[in-house]
Amino acid sequence: MAKQFHFIAIGRAAIDLNAVEYNRPMEETKTFSKYVGGSPANIAIGASKMGLKTGFIGKLADDQHGRFIQSYLEGAGVDTQGLVTDTEGHKTGLAFTEIKSPQECSILMYRDEVADLYLYPSEVSEDYLKQADYLLISGTGLAQSPSREAILKSLLLARKNGLKIIFELDYREYTWKSAEETAIYYQLVAQQSDIIIGTRDEFDVLENHLGGDNEASVKALFKHQAELIVIKHGVEGSYAYEKNGKVTRGKAYKAKVLKTFGAGDSYAAAFITALVNGESIGTALKYGAASAAIVVSSHSSSEAMPTIEKIKALIAEQDK
Amino acid sequence: MAKQFHFIAIGRAAIDLNAVEYNRPMEETKTFSKYVGGSPANIAIGASKMGLKTGFIGKLADDQHGRFIQSYLEGAGVDTQGLVTDTEGHKTGLAFTEIKSPQECSILMYRDEVADLYLYPSEVSEDYLKQADYLLISGTGLAQSPSREAILKSLLLARKNGLKIIFELDYREYTWKSAEETAIYYQLVAQQSDIIIGTRDEFDVLENHLGGDNEASVKALFKHQAELIVIKHGVEGSYAYEKNGKVTRGKAYKAKVLKTFGAGDSYAAAFITALVNGESIGTALKYGAASAAIVVSSHSSSEAMPTIEKIKALIAEQDK
Amino acid sequence: MAKQFHFIAIGRAAIDLNAVEYNRPMEETKTFSKYVGGSPANIAIGASKMGLKTGFIGKLADDQHGRFIQSYLEGAGVDTQGLVTDTEGHKTGLAFTEIKSPQECSILMYRDEVADLYLYPSEVSEDYLKQADYLLISGTGLAQSPSREAILKSLLLARKNGLKIIFELDYREYTWKSAEETAIYYQLVAQQSDIIIGTRDEFDVLENHLGGDNEASVKALFKHQAELIVIKHGVEGSYAYEKNGKVTRGKAYKAKVLKTFGAGDSYAAAFITALVNGESIGTALKYGAASAAIVVSSHSSSEAMPTIEKIKALIAEQDK
Amino acid sequence: MAKQFHFIAIGRAAIDLNAVEYNRPMEETKTFSKYVGGSPANIAIGASKMGLKTGFIGKLADDQHGRFIQSYLEGAGVDTQGLVTDTEGHKTGLAFTEIKSPQECSILMYRDEVADLYLYPSEVSEDYLKQADYLLISGTGLAQSPSREAILKSLLLARKNGLKIIFELDYREYTWKSAEETAIYYQLVAQQSDIIIGTRDEFDVLENHLGGDNEASVKALFKHQAELIVIKHGVEGSYAYEKNGKVTRGKAYKAKVLKTFGAGDSYAAAFITALVNGESIGTALKYGAASAAIVVSSHSSSEAMPTIEKIKALIAEQDK
């Protein structure tokens, strides 16, 4: 790495309030534990824990929750020079997690007028972006203005300054106005991204029709900037498509599932870390799957992010 | 009581998330306990626990928090026929409480676009209101439309149908646009109310100037509908002014203060209960002060509401 | 008159763009003439022309249309000390009038985000109001915040300072959110008004049900502040109800109708002028009807406002 | 032309209300003439008058002004299959023009919540777009959602279906939130456009800094899709830059200027018409300049659009 950061992530950092008493409806939960949450924050935290140099651009509420997030990110080794404190009274996004059973998880979201969606384009610094090899864009930040424009600006600046762009689709229906609007911004950004990661469902969102086909999806995107596209199919594993036509399949690892939250973030953190470390696509897929298996077995999404050693141990254990 | 309910309260029912680990900044609190909150809900719960028949008109989110509130109110004996479930995706209001020390308490509010402020006037039923002796209006519900109009409608209907109106000023700066707007609606409602209860600070808000004087405040209001006005001065006690010129002073009781939240709600619940039970103004002031002393010594605002027996015991104990 | 002004009107002053080529659909009109419009502005202009001292409280756009209105009001003798110039980029309300035939008139309204609805309560001066005998409130100003609160403040101040209140219902469906909301604010203001003027349809709006009955309407309102209520029934004439039970019927005068706009404003201007001049209710009803007959025969609503002499001449002519 | 339309324009169609009595402040203008206005509508009308087959995608108010626009476009030969009628109560945009002198012209805009900015992406048809050689995007339509997304969708569909894209910068400060936001969307669209036309000031807006330099501007844009860039410098003439490095200068023609409005639209209409007709860049620059000279000498922007014959006549006259 010639630059200061392997990647800078842009988007939301929020609070998860996880049910302390679980395997029941949330109505019967009396106590909640507080963790840092939000896909791009989780990925930056995870990758930092796995050894990468990461930075984060985002906006935090000027309150106790905002200060908790900032200090947690710093503790996890994520550079926070790109963090901005909200001055307009916006609050931190919240996600109350309900775990009725390992298979029945849901989230009660507080995302109205939250601080992360009020990042202004003027608050994105070209000088800061220049210090990274990759820009990681998380789809949810595109859902509303002015965060949308802040991210589009980061995209224009990244392209201008030669950063490669990783687009983690991270689709959260809650914050979007319409499926059509989502598809428009997802396509605009995907057409300018080098690496695109998402579930099959998320690629359907990008294409705005159900039941899409991987071959067709990657064919359309390879006409533009993309070099590597990862499409995840849950427990059936995932596929990495390269522009040169190569396809690699990765399997999922077994886990003692406590809840399903955090799987995608831990997958992305580990997959990207492997790539940056020069591992093969096949190995990167293993890292992603192993990391996801570890996080779904734990109570949080951020604090449970594994080290490389833990990931390697799980792969060694289950691959033998 | 010739009617079904001693009083019906209208306004917000919400969620308190109280710091489990306290006497520290909220940044260092890892766990939060969930309780029902919101001034008029707390008053209805408290008065019900003290033996009154109470009902509640309000709007709840269509989610786990909304359902928790509904079932808690029912468990506390509050009639919930007047509850409406939101259909527009609004969320339950939240109050994270921070207890740095008994003297330094603060609240981190989530009140943007919350369900209780989306009660529509069409959702207030004249037939339901007719069943009560009193309508209890909580000031915060006047802060935004359409809740503001729902409450103004309940006021018009109450006056038309002969209910007496209790106005608990319950001022929360957070939800209001400007001091001037607050004063306008507070005055409009106060001029049509029979009983008005608030702190000295809240009467200053009603008059839109600082440092107001009790004599002047009650003189202006007694030109209109009011018969009884209670102005609270914290640990210095409170004053009850009657239209006939009588003034009664009530003292505060000693308490081992854990936090200051909930004092006003428990005061109002006990004061109103005493009045309805035919107690003298002097006794009602004692009930209010004793009930407040009990709640500030406990962890919650709703669950800690005392019974009449507990109130009487504290009075007996401290008055001897 | 012991005071400076017979009345001060509060509410909107706007622009009418009247079809120059009429008796055709507006699609075929190529040219429009510009006049001052808006019910309370028209009433203040009309009454001033009829000899009263009038003032106006309202907000004007900071542009050519706003400056035209200000200079027109001044030219018509209306005091403009109460005018405020908008600083937030709001525009002047517009009304394009279509005259397909004398019986088929319609208005294409531009009322989104207009300056008159952005009068803030802080911009209403108690010292200015004190100088008038009457405050004239026009219903449309209650439709949206902050104009709504500015008018409620003027009502509170007028009551406090002993002004009598004239409420011209002036209902414009376009600016209101719902029939229920309209009825709530109309009732709140009507219950505190001394004189109430409107069409039968407008009293139905106040009561939020169709087909209301005059006797029932006035009975409900006479329980409150009202002393005089005028209900207009178009060409069938109008009725003036007094609190003492007296009812006076006024007939409509014949007119060579060009269009129906402006009838209500000219009626109110003349009726109020007659009252202030000490004429009998019967004579005031004649003034109102004669003034309306003159304006519906002319091209504009403001510029066509007649003098007292012209009104008397028409009465003399048609009553002989 | 193998396809149905030479170009389809997308964006606003609105109403101009031009001062009948001019060379004075608008306050003193009593009468206004109604014309169709809006840059992309004017360009489609002008090009149609000059012989091209054009279509228009936009949203019209469901009122007399909307119907007037539709029928005017049809009369001018513009295909209106892509027009959608608003169902949400939005109004037609208005531009009152003030002509104090030929050098001092200004516009009083009514652009709040106007129908053209409420074109939804779902209302843009791929089948319709496929029938054109070019898509003409006008910058103002990017100012607000959902029109912004409708245009971004048309851009994605046009690229997918092989249409070339003409971007007329058409910057109107009034409708934009911030200079930074404007620059972001202008750059995104410009990077995907084949032909870009604007004034030097408008290229400064695209770059979000004042005093930009033509060479630098075109160098940055030629890294992307652009093949031809026209930068206009008012009376000093204009420059056409081609990707191959060729630069052609065009001069301005003399005109007896009545007002400056409409110059850009007539320029674009004639320049594009010449290009489509296979004329040289040099000739196209002459067409644009001649067409602008004719329109600034006339009272309207749309109705004054010249025929090819009139353009050729002016060129012949002034070039001899």
Side-chain angles (χ1 to χ4, degrees):
Chain A
M1 173 176 70
K3 296 194 182 171
Q4 186 77 24
F5 304 110
H6 292 104
F7 70 82
I8 289 173
I10 184 166
R12 78 190 185 284
I15 294 277
D16 287 350
L17 286 159
N18 290 357
V20 171
E21 308 90 22
Y22 52 90
N23 288 332
R24 71 193 64 183
M26 197 193 296
E27 287 87 329
E28 295 168 22
T29 293
K30 290 286 293 178
T31 334
F32 296 89
S33 285
K34 180 182 72 172
Y35 298 101
V36 166
S39 176
N42 285 343
I43 297 173
I45 289 165
S48 175
K49 215 158 164 183
M50 295 166 198
L52 296 200
K53 296 279 181 200
T54 66
F56 191 80
I57 299 174
K59 182 166 259 184
L60 297 182
D62 184 17
D63 62 22
Q64 295 94 332
H65 287 347
R67 288 187 289 275
F68 166 70
I69 293 170
Q70 170 134 13
S71 105
Y72 190 89
L73 286 171
E74 284 165 0
V78 178
D79 183 83
T80 60
Q81 291 175 69
L83 281 183
V84 186
T85 299
D86 178 82
T87 58
E88 303 172 315
H90 299 294
K91 295 278 174 295
T92 308
L94 303 177
F96 290 89
T97 59
E98 176 183 62
I99 306 168
K100 284 191 184 170
S101 75
Q103 290 72 43
E104 286 178 287
C105 297
S106 70
I107 299 181
L108 173 49
M109 285 281 205
Y110 278 70
R111 298 278 310 151
D112 281 331
E113 302 290 308
V114 288
D116 59 78
L117 292 172
Y118 280 88
L119 182 69
Y120 287 95
S122 59
E123 295 165 337
V124 173
S125 153
E126 182 167 9
D127 285 339
Y128 187 59
L129 279 170
K130 276 181 183 171
Q131 303 174 41
D133 292 325
Y134 288 90
L135 168 68
L136 175 83
I137 291 177
S138 162
T140 294
L142 293 164
Q144 285 174 29
S145 296
S147 162
R148 174 184 291 166
E149 285 78 32
I151 291 181
L152 292 174
K153 181 184 171 188
S154 76
L155 174 72
L156 288 165
L157 290 175
R159 294 291 307 274
K160 179 180 161 206
N161 287 285
L163 283 77
K164 287 194 180 282
I165 291 155
I166 305 170
F167 185 23
E168 223 293 344
L169 299 186
D170 176 37
Y171 174 63
R172 304 283 167 177
E173 189 180 1
Y174 187 89
T175 28
W176 287 93
K177 271 200 217 109
S178 72
E180 189 140 43
E181 186 174 318
T182 315
I184 290 164
Y185 288 103
Y186 270 40
Q187 284 175 40
L188 276 176
V189 173
Q191 289 183 3
Q192 310 218 26
S193 297
D194 302 275
I195 301 176
I196 307 168
I197 305 172
T199 64
R200 179 62 246 171
D201 288 350
E202 290 174 330
F203 280 87
D204 286 358
V205 165
L206 181 149
E207 294 162 7
N208 200 19
H209 70 89
L210 294 177
D213 168 71
N214 287 4
E215 308 301 324
S217 298
V218 302
K219 189 180 164 198
L221 287 166
F222 281 140
K223 285 184 190 152
H224 301 273
Q225 181 73 15
E227 293 167 2
L228 173 62
I229 300 173
V230 177
I231 306 183
K232 298 178 285 179
H233 289 254
V235 291
E236 297 167 45
S238 52
Y239 299 83
Y241 299 87
E242 293 172 77
K243 201 166 211 152
N244 61 18
K246 205 179 144 196
V247 184
T248 313
R249 178 167 186 178
K251 65 170 187 181
Y253 288 107
K254 276 174 289 175
K256 191 161 174 219
V257 181
L258 189 151
K259 43 76 183 160
T260 53
F261 315 122
D265 303 342
S266 53
Y267 186 102
F271 180 83
I272 295 166
T273 300
L275 275 193
V276 165
N277 289 345
E279 304 285 355
S280 70
I281 300 283
T283 302
L285 290 170
K286 287 188 181 191
Y287 271 52
S291 179
I294 291 165
V295 166
V296 296
S297 312
S298 316
H299 192 247
S300 79
S301 299
S302 50
E303 213 150 298
M305 284 286 178
T307 57
I308 286 273
E309 292 66 38
K310 237 176 136 182
I311 289 170
K312 285 182 176 166
L314 184 143
I315 294 172
E317 162 79 19
Q318 293 203 21
D319 275 1
K320 71 185 168 191
Chain B
M1 172 176 71
K3 297 195 182 169
Q4 187 75 25
F5 303 111
H6 292 103
F7 71 82
I8 289 172
I10 184 166
R12 78 189 185 286
I15 294 278
D16 287 349
L17 287 159
N18 290 357
V20 171
E21 308 90 21
Y22 53 91
N23 288 332
R24 71 192 65 183
M26 197 194 295
E27 287 86 329
E28 295 169 22
T29 293
K30 291 286 294 178
T31 335
F32 296 89
S33 284
K34 179 183 73 172
Y35 299 101
V36 166
S39 176
N42 284 343
I43 298 174
I45 288 165
S48 174
K49 213 157 164 184
M50 296 166 198
L52 297 201
K53 297 279 182 199
T54 66
F56 191 79
I57 299 173
K59 182 166 261 184
L60 297 181
D62 185 17
D63 62 22
Q64 294 95 331
H65 287 346
R67 289 187 289 275
F68 166 70
I69 294 170
Q70 171 133 13
S71 108
Y72 190 89
L73 286 171
E74 284 165 2
V78 178
D79 183 82
T80 59
Q81 290 174 69
L83 282 183
V84 186
T85 300
D86 177 82
T87 58
E88 303 172 317
H90 299 295
K91 294 280 176 293
T92 307
L94 303 177
F96 289 88
T97 61
E98 174 184 63
I99 306 170
K100 284 191 185 169
S101 75
Q103 289 72 44
E104 286 177 287
C105 297
S106 71
I107 300 182
L108 172 50
M109 286 281 205
Y110 278 71
R111 299 277 311 149
D112 281 331
E113 301 290 307
V114 288
D116 60 78
L117 292 172
Y118 281 87
L119 183 69
Y120 286 95
S122 60
E123 294 165 337
V124 174
S125 153
E126 181 167 10
D127 284 341
Y128 187 61
L129 278 171
K130 276 181 183 171
Q131 302 174 42
D133 292 325
Y134 289 91
L135 169 68
L136 175 83
I137 291 176
S138 162
T140 294
L142 294 164
Q144 285 176 28
S145 295
S147 163
R148 174 183 291 166
E149 287 77 31
I151 291 181
L152 292 174
K153 182 184 171 187
S154 77
L155 175 74
L156 289 166
L157 290 175
R159 295 290 307 274
K160 180 180 162 203
N161 288 284
L163 282 78
K164 287 194 181 285
I165 290 154
I166 305 169
F167 185 24
E168 224 293 345
L169 299 185
D170 176 37
Y171 174 64
R172 305 281 167 179
E173 189 181 1
Y174 186 90
T175 29
W176 288 91
K177 270 199 219 110
S178 72
E180 189 139 45
E181 186 174 319
T182 315
I184 290 164
Y185 287 104
Y186 270 41
Q187 284 175 39
L188 276 176
V189 172
Q191 290 183 2
Q192 310 219 25
S193 295
D194 301 276
I195 301 174
I196 306 167
I197 305 172
T199 64
R200 179 62 247 171
D201 288 349
E202 289 173 331
F203 280 88
D204 285 357
V205 166
L206 181 147
E207 294 162 7
N208 200 20
H209 70 87
L210 294 177
D213 167 71
N214 286 4
E215 307 301 324
S217 298
V218 302
K219 189 180 163 198
L221 287 166
F222 281 140
K223 285 185 190 152
H224 300 274
Q225 182 73 16
E227 293 167 3
L228 174 61
I229 300 173
V230 177
I231 306 182
K232 297 178 286 179
H233 290 253
V235 292
E236 298 167 44
S238 52
Y239 299 83
Y241 298 87
E242 294 172 77
K243 200 167 211 153
N244 61 19
K246 206 180 143 195
V247 184
T248 313
R249 178 169 186 177
K251 64 170 188 183
Y253 288 107
K254 277 174 289 176
K256 190 160 174 223
V257 181
L258 188 149
K259 45 75 182 159
T260 53
F261 314 122
D265 304 341
S266 54
Y267 186 103
F271 181 84
I272 294 167
T273 300
L275 274 194
V276 164
N277 289 345
E279 304 285 355
S280 70
I281 299 284
T283 303
L285 290 171
K286 288 188 178 191
Y287 271 53
S291 179
I294 292 165
V295 166
V296 296
S297 314
S298 316
H299 192 248
S300 79
S301 299
S302 50
E303 212 150 298
M305 284 285 179
T307 57
I308 285 275
E309 291 67 37
K310 236 175 136 181
I311 289 171
K312 285 182 176 166
L314 184 143
I315 294 173
E317 163 80 19
Q318 293 204 22
D319 275 0
K320 72 183 168 192
Chain C
M1 172 177 72
K3 297 195 183 171
Q4 186 76 25
F5 303 111
H6 291 103
F7 71 82
I8 289 173
I10 184 167
R12 79 190 184 285
I15 293 278
D16 287 349
L17 286 159
N18 290 357
V20 172
E21 308 89 21
Y22 53 89
N23 289 331
R24 71 191 64 182
M26 197 192 297
E27 287 87 329
E28 296 168 21
T29 293
K30 290 286 293 178
T31 335
F32 296 89
S33 285
K34 179 182 72 171
Y35 298 101
V36 166
S39 176
N42 284 343
I43 297 174
I45 289 165
S48 175
K49 213 158 165 184
M50 295 167 199
L52 296 199
K53 295 278 181 200
T54 65
F56 191 80
I57 299 173
K59 183 166 259 183
L60 298 181
D62 185 17
D63 61 22
Q64 294 95 332
H65 287 348
R67 288 187 290 275
F68 166 70
I69 293 170
Q70 171 134 10
S71 107
Y72 190 90
L73 286 171
E74 286 165 0
V78 178
D79 184 83
T80 59
Q81 290 174 68
L83 282 183
V84 186
T85 299
D86 178 82
T87 58
E88 303 173 317
H90 299 295
K91 294 280 176 293
T92 308
L94 302 178
F96 288 89
T97 59
E98 175 184 63
I99 306 170
K100 283 191 186 170
S101 74
Q103 289 73 42
E104 286 177 287
C105 297
S106 71
I107 299 182
L108 172 49
M109 287 281 207
Y110 277 70
R111 298 280 309 150
D112 281 332
E113 300 291 308
V114 287
D116 60 78
L117 292 171
Y118 280 88
L119 181 70
Y120 286 94
S122 59
E123 294 166 337
V124 173
S125 153
E126 181 166 10
D127 285 339
Y128 187 60
L129 278 170
K130 275 181 182 171
Q131 302 175 42
D133 292 324
Y134 289 91
L135 169 68
L136 175 83
I137 291 176
S138 162
T140 295
L142 294 163
Q144 286 176 29
S145 296
S147 163
R148 175 184 290 166
E149 286 77 31
I151 291 181
L152 292 174
K153 181 184 171 190
S154 76
L155 175 73
L156 289 165
L157 290 175
R159 295 290 307 274
K160 180 180 161 205
N161 288 285
L163 282 77
K164 287 195 179 286
I165 290 155
I166 305 170
F167 186 22
E168 223 295 344
L169 300 185
D170 176 37
Y171 174 63
R172 305 281 166 177
E173 190 181 2
Y174 186 90
T175 29
W176 287 91
K177 270 201 218 110
S178 72
E180 190 139 44
E181 186 174 318
T182 315
I184 289 164
Y185 288 103
Y186 270 40
Q187 284 174 41
L188 276 176
V189 173
Q191 289 182 4
Q192 310 218 27
S193 297
D194 301 276
I195 301 175
I196 306 168
I197 304 173
T199 64
R200 180 61 248 171
D201 287 351
E202 289 174 331
F203 279 88
D204 285 358
V205 165
L206 181 148
E207 294 162 6
N208 201 18
H209 70 87
L210 293 178
D213 167 72
N214 287 3
E215 308 301 323
S217 298
V218 302
K219 190 180 163 196
L221 287 167
F222 282 139
K223 284 184 190 151
H224 301 275
Q225 182 72 17
E227 293 166 4
L228 173 62
I229 300 172
V230 177
I231 306 183
K232 296 178 287 178
H233 289 254
V235 292
E236 297 167 43
S238 53
Y239 298 83
Y241 298 88
E242 294 171 76
K243 200 165 212 155
N244 61 18
K246 207 180 143 196
V247 184
T248 312
R249 177 167 187 179
K251 63 170 190 183
Y253 288 107
K254 276 172 290 175
K256 190 159 175 222
V257 182
L258 188 152
K259 45 73 182 160
T260 53
F261 315 122
D265 303 341
S266 53
Y267 186 104
F271 180 84
I272 294 166
T273 300
L275 274 193
V276 164
N277 288 345
E279 304 284 355
S280 70
I281 300 282
T283 301
L285 290 171
K286 287 188 180 189
Y287 272 53
S291 179
I294 292 164
V295 165
V296 296
S297 313
S298 317
H299 192 247
S300 80
S301 298
S302 50
E303 213 151 299
M305 285 286 179
T307 57
I308 286 274
E309 292 66 38
K310 235 175 137 181
I311 290 172
K312 285 182 177 166
L314 184 144
I315 296 174
E317 162 80 19
Q318 293 203 22
D319 274 3
K320 71 184 168 191
Chain D
M1 172 176 72
K3 296 195 182 172
Q4 186 76 25
F5 303 110
H6 292 102
F7 71 81
I8 289 173
I10 185 166
R12 78 189 186 286
I15 294 277
D16 287 349
L17 286 158
N18 290 357
V20 171
E21 307 90 21
Y22 52 90
N23 289 331
R24 70 192 66 183
M26 198 194 295
E27 287 87 329
E28 296 168 22
T29 293
K30 290 287 292 179
T31 335
F32 296 89
S33 285
K34 180 181 71 171
Y35 298 100
V36 166
S39 175
N42 284 343
I43 297 174
I45 289 166
S48 175
K49 214 158 163 183
M50 295 167 199
L52 296 200
K53 296 279 180 198
T54 66
F56 191 80
I57 299 174
K59 183 166 260 184
L60 298 181
D62 185 16
D63 62 21
Q64 294 94 332
H65 288 347
R67 288 187 289 275
F68 166 69
I69 293 169
Q70 171 135 14
S71 107
Y72 190 89
L73 286 172
E74 284 166 0
V78 178
D79 184 82
T80 60
Q81 290 174 70
L83 282 183
V84 185
T85 299
D86 177 83
T87 57
E88 303 172 317
H90 300 294
K91 295 280 175 293
T92 308
L94 302 178
F96 289 88
T97 59
E98 175 183 62
I99 306 169
K100 284 192 185 169
S101 73
Q103 288 72 42
E104 286 177 288
C105 297
S106 72
I107 298 182
L108 172 49
M109 286 281 206
Y110 277 71
R111 299 278 311 150
D112 280 332
E113 302 290 308
V114 288
D116 59 78
L117 292 172
Y118 280 88
L119 181 70
Y120 285 96
S122 60
E123 294 165 339
V124 173
S125 154
E126 181 167 9
D127 285 339
Y128 187 59
L129 278 171
K130 276 181 184 171
Q131 302 174 42
D133 292 323
Y134 288 91
L135 169 68
L136 175 83
I137 291 177
S138 161
T140 295
L142 294 164
Q144 286 175 27
S145 296
S147 163
R148 175 184 290 166
E149 286 77 32
I151 291 181
L152 292 174
K153 181 183 171 189
S154 76
L155 175 72
L156 289 165
L157 290 175
R159 296 289 308 273
K160 180 180 161 204
N161 287 284
L163 283 78
K164 287 193 181 286
I165 291 155
I166 305 170
F167 185 22
E168 222 295 343
L169 299 185
D170 176 38
Y171 173 64
R172 305 280 166 178
E173 189 181 2
Y174 186 91
T175 29
W176 287 91
K177 270 201 218 110
S178 71
E180 189 140 43
E181 187 175 317
T182 315
I184 290 164
Y185 288 104
Y186 269 41
Q187 284 174 40
L188 276 175
V189 172
Q191 289 182 2
Q192 310 218 26
S193 296
D194 302 274
I195 301 175
I196 307 169
I197 305 173
T199 64
R200 179 62 247 171
D201 287 350
E202 289 174 331
F203 279 87
D204 285 357
V205 165
L206 181 148
E207 294 162 7
N208 200 19
H209 70 87
L210 293 177
D213 167 72
N214 287 4
E215 308 301 323
S217 298
V218 302
K219 189 180 163 198
L221 287 166
F222 281 140
K223 284 185 191 153
H224 301 276
Q225 183 72 17
E227 293 166 4
L228 173 62
I229 300 173
V230 177
I231 306 183
K232 296 179 286 178
H233 289 255
V235 292
E236 297 168 44
S238 51
Y239 299 82
Y241 298 86
E242 293 173 76
K243 203 167 210 153
N244 61 18
K246 205 180 145 197
V247 185
T248 313
R249 179 168 186 178
K251 64 170 188 181
Y253 287 107
K254 277 173 288 173
K256 190 160 174 220
V257 181
L258 189 151
K259 44 73 181 162
T260 53
F261 314 123
D265 303 342
S266 52
Y267 186 104
F271 181 85
I272 295 166
T273 300
L275 274 193
V276 165
N277 289 345
E279 305 285 355
S280 70
I281 300 283
T283 302
L285 290 171
K286 288 188 180 191
Y287 271 54
S291 179
I294 292 166
V295 165
V296 296
S297 314
S298 317
H299 192 248
S300 79
S301 299
S302 50
E303 213 150 298
M305 285 286 180
T307 56
I308 287 273
E309 290 68 36
K310 237 175 134 182
I311 290 171
K312 285 181 177 168
L314 185 142
I315 295 174
E317 162 79 19
Q318 294 203 21
D319 274 1
K320 73 185 167 190

